[in-house]
């Protein structure tokens, strides 16, 4: 995952959604998403939890991008805003649950 404070939600590429147990064949890509490259569409999902080290955030709003539209999944604000804090220092991010 790439940390992206500009993404309002967690966004998974389809391969990562499958790894998370989501049946991507049943998704409806109906949510318009504006990106730096223009508008694309994604499917809304709810993730039971996201764990990063000892930090666990439950019931996380997320999107699954349409196949071919995302190179890397994004750890967006639907996860980050539920932390106590997060800091960027050079190439490092510190997350506090």
């Amino acid at each position: 995952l790439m940390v992206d404070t500009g993404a309002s939600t967690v966004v998974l590429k389809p391969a990562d959604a499958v790894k998370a147990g989501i049946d991507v064949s049943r998704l409806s890509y109906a949510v318009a998403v504006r990106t730096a490259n223009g508008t694309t569409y994604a499917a809304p999902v709810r993730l039971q939890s996201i764990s990063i080290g000892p930090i666990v955030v439950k019931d996380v709003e997320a999107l699954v991008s349409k196949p071919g539209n995302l190179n890397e999944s994004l750890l967006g604000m639907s996860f980050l805003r539920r932390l106590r804090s997060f800091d960027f220092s050079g190439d490092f991010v510190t997350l506090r649950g």
Side-chain angles (χ1 to χ4, degrees):
L1 289 169
M2 178 172 63
V3 176
D4 186 350
T5 59
S8 56
T9 63
V10 169
V11 184
L12 300 177
K13 61 184 184 178
D16 289 341
V18 169
K19 289 177 189 174
I22 297 168
D23 182 356
V24 296
S25 69
R26 298 178 150 239
L27 296 179
S28 174
Y29 299 93
V31 176
V33 179
R34 288 187 219 161
T35 71
N37 296 324
T39 300
T40 187
Y41 290 88
V45 295
R46 277 235 176 247
L47 303 175
Q48 187 174 24
S49 66
I50 296 176
S51 301
I52 300 176
I55 298 170
V56 178
V57 176
K58 295 181 179 185
D59 192 33
V60 180
E61 176 186 351
L63 296 169
V64 176
S65 69
K66 238 178 166 178
N69 286 341
L70 191 64
N71 294 326
E72 200 168 345
S73 293
L74 306 175
L75 188 63
M77 292 305 293
S78 62
F79 175 86
L80 296 171
R81 73 171 169 257
R82 294 179 56 193
L83 299 175
R84 188 167 34 99
S85 68
F86 56 93
D87 297 310
F88 295 91
S89 179
D91 291 338
F92 296 94
V93 178
T94 302
L95 306 174
R96 292 178 191 87

